[in-house]
């Protein structure tokens, strides 16, 4: 876990959470194009509402004590938990109070009809009225789609399951004209388009929910996806600045882990726009400076890192290409006090800057910081030739110390992307500097003969074990933002590699006399064709591993 003493911003207690529930009432509709698509019922909140005034939302609201006490008045599915039953009851009650839509069963098993619903008062407790009329709330028709927890930075916060249910037949929504107005049926894609055009205001969780909902062609397909009784996703968004504008992200999106590291309590302070002119502080003892070498293989550029502080001096990780302006900025960010220069591997966007950075230190009267790493193997390409002044040993520690503080980097040899690749663990703060072994926003190329897929996957296992041993929560890659949930990230990366390998094997079986050029379109059919030449290099690494396993 990251030391509180190294956090950039003081601890701030987020606002307490309030329990609520919302429901997406769905129906199938045929559009002008003749295609069936899902429509969802939305309604506009009052302009004086305390939360999201004027926004188009799904009906819902707070969970109250009567909802939990009304289980006996509701029909439930096998496997539907007490908590989910309470949430379903709350959503049914809110949709009735706000829009007059009632999900309920009559005693004879038929859905509640208009004549029966007309006997109910939307301003009075619902469950008691249903009991008097012999109605059961149709909680068995309400399924869990997602689970949202309001962002940590907001003054009013809610813990909200987003539920889904088919719209009851022969009912029409009528807004209460107090909390909700203008009920409208809309396709998710149309709602998103109207929002983008400034005509249909929706808030962040609604946007992300509609984005996912538009992938389903029918109501039945949505309900089938929700059959597990578990949310399809759970999220507590985080926000930062992007080119001066507030931007929010959920867990699977690239900037999320960086915001979790820099602003764990939700402070909106971190600028996410990539730039090369200034170092970006991630912790008090970690800075990132991105080299001006963006491209297909480097993403926004190669990340150089400085670990340390003015009292301990600094270790520079991956000085990058021999770009003198970049190296000058790196040197200045360290106040000239660089104690070690470490290259995670010898590729030309990582190691060529080491010697000129060392020379810059000497030029300004400092002792020459040793250049550390592993020498390039004979299998490396000519442009990746690299010989450190000292070869690092697997498991050794590089220490920066001053009275009352220590920063320890443990070396892990992780061949796979390159034979001489290594990663570094900042032990006190649970950070993994992953070089090119784990990236954010792209998949590492494993290019034989220096790259080796069997070693790459074995190294993922080594990193997974290191996460458990050292409590690693965040991964700082050589390209892209910081990644959070380190253990899960590595597990997902390994699963992705093995899934890709299965596709390579299927391509080889489909075309047993084929060539790599013929296998790539089958194994990488989800990758843009312009990237197939690069993908073919990793394909060959998979082929080598497959053939090795076949001989074992």
């Amino acid at each position: 876990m990251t030391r509180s003493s190294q956090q950039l911003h003081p601890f701030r207690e987020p606002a307490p959470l309030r329990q609520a529930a919302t429901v997406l009432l769905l129906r199938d509709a045929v559009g002008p194009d003749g295609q069936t698509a899902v429509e969802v019922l939305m309604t506009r909140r009052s302009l004086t509402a305390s939360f999201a005034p004027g926004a188009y939302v799904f009906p819902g609201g707070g969970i109250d004590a009567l909802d939990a006490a009304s289980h006996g008045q509701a029909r439930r599915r096998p496997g539907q938990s007490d908590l989910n039953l309470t949430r379903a009851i709350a959503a049914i009650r809110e949709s009735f109070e706000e829009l007059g839509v009632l999900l309920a069963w009559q005693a004879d098993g038929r859905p509640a009809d208009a004549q029966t619903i007309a006997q109910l008062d939307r301003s009075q407790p619902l469950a008691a009225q249903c009991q008097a009329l012999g109605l059961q709330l149709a909680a068995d028709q309400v399924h869990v789609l997602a689970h949202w927890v309001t962002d940590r930075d907001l003054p009013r916060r809610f813990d909200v399951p987003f539920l889904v249910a088919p719209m009851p037949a022969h009912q029409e929504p009528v807004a209460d004209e107090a909390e909700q107005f203008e009920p409208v049926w809309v396709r998710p894609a149309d709602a998103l388009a109207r929002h983008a055009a400034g005509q249909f205001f929706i808030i962040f969780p609604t946007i992300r929910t509609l984005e996912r909902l538009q992938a389903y062609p029918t109501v039945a397909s949505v309900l089938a996806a929700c059959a597990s009784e578990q949310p399809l996703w759970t999220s507590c968004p985080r926000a930062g600045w992007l080119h001066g504008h507030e931007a929010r992200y959920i867990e699977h999106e690239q900037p999320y882990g960086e915001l979790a590291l820099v602003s764990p309590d939700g402070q909106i302070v971190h600028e996410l726009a990539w730039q090369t002119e200034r170092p970006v502080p991630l912790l008090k003892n970690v800075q990132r400076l991105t080299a001006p070498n963006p491209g297909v293989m480097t993403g926004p550029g190669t990340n150089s890192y400085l670990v340390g502080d003015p009292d301990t001096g600094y270790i520079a990780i991956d000085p990058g290409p021999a770009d003198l302006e970049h190296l000058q900025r790196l040197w200045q960010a360290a106040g000239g006090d660089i104690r070690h220069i470490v290259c995670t591997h010898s590729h030309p966007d990582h190691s060529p800057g080491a010697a000129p950075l060392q020379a810059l230190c000497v030029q300004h009267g400092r002792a020459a910081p040793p250049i550390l790493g592993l020498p390039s193997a004979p299998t490396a390409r000519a442009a990746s030739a690299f010989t450190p002044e000292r070869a690092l040993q697997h498991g050794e520690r590089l220490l920066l110390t001053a009275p009352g503080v220590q920063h320890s980097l443990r070396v892990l040899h992780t061949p796979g992307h390159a034979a001489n690749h290594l990663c570094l663990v900042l032990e006190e703060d649970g950070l993994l500097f992953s070089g090119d072994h784990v990236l954010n926003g792209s998949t590492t190329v494993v290019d034989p003969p220096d790259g080796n897929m069997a070693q790459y996957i074995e190294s993922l296992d080594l990193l997974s074990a290191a996460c458990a041993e050292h409590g690693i929560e965040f991964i700082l890659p050589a390209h892209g933002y910081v990644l959070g949930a380190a253990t899960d990230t590595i597990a997902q990366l390994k699963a992705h590699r093995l899934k890709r390998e299965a596709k390579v094997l299927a391509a080889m079986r489909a075309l047993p006399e084929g060539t790599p050029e013929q296998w790539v379109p089958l194994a990488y059919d989800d990758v843009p064709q312009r990237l197939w030449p690069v993908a073919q290099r990793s394909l060959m690494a998979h082929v080598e591993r497959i053939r090795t396993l076949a001989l074992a």
Side-chain angles (χ1 to χ4, degrees), residues 211-226:
E211 286 174 346
R212 297 211 182 188
L213 188 62
Q214 66 182 340
Y216 296 95
T218 63
V219 175
S221 66
V222 178
L223 299 180
C226 300

Side-chain angles (χ1 to χ4, degrees), residues 155 339 464:
R339 306 292 177 90
S464 181

Side-chain angles (χ1 to χ4, degrees), residues 219 254 327 394 533:
V219 175
Q254 292 179 27
L327 298 171
H394 176 73

Side-chain angles (χ1 to χ4, degrees), residues 51 56 84 201 267 385 403 529 547 551:
F51 182 79
Y56 280 86
N84 283 343
F201 173 47
Q267 305 95 327
Q529 189 171 350
R547 288 173 173 166
L551 295 173

Side-chain angles (χ1 to χ4, degrees), residues 43-195:
T43 180
R44 180 176 60 81
R45 287 180 62 80
S46 166
L47 293 174
T48 60
S50 59
F51 182 79
Y56 280 86
V57 298
F58 314 118
I63 296 174
D64 63 32
L66 278 178
D67 297 323
S70 301
H71 286 194
Q73 201 55 43
R75 186 182 297 180
R76 71 197 299 175
R77 289 184 307 279
Q80 191 172 20
S81 68
D82 287 348
L83 176 59
N84 283 343
L85 182 61
T86 297
R87 290 166 166 173
I89 291 170
I92 292 171
R93 175 182 53 76
E94 288 286 341
S95 66
F96 178 68
E97 292 173 356
E98 295 178 351
L99 296 177
V101 175
L102 180 62
L103 284 82
W105 299 108
Q106 299 185 85
D108 60 7
R110 293 181 297 117
D113 56 29
Q115 183 178 0
T116 303
I117 294 172
Q119 301 178 56
L120 300 172
D121 185 341
R122 289 162 65 171
S123 66
Q124 297 300 313
L126 177 61
Q129 296 184 80
C130 288
Q131 185 177 25
L133 294 175
L135 297 175
Q136 278 193 308
L137 301 176
D140 59 330
Q141 297 294 296
V142 182
H143 299 259
V144 180
L145 175 72
H147 186 185
W148 288 94
V149 177
T150 306
D151 320 27
R152 296 162 182 80
D153 61 285
L154 296 179
R156 288 172 59 84
R157 302 183 67 224
F158 299 92
D159 185 327
V160 191
F162 276 45
L163 310 171
V164 291
M167 176 69 180
H170 312 300
Q171 294 193 40
E172 292 294 333
V174 178
D176 62 9
E177 300 295 327
E179 294 185 42
Q180 306 295 349
F181 301 82
E182 302 173 15
V184 58
W185 286 101
V186 62
R187 293 186 181 194
D190 292 341
L192 293 167
R194 291 171 61 186
H195 172 72

Side-chain angles (χ1 to χ4, degrees), residues 508-538:
M508 294 171 67
R509 286 173 173 168
L511 298 173
E513 304 301 324
T515 65
E517 292 84 356
Q518 294 171 313
W519 294 332
V520 164
L522 299 177
Y524 289 84
D525 57 345
D526 56 339
V527 173
Q529 189 171 350
R530 60 185 173 81
L531 297 179
W532 285 357
V534 176
Q536 185 175 318
R537 288 146 59 182
S538 286

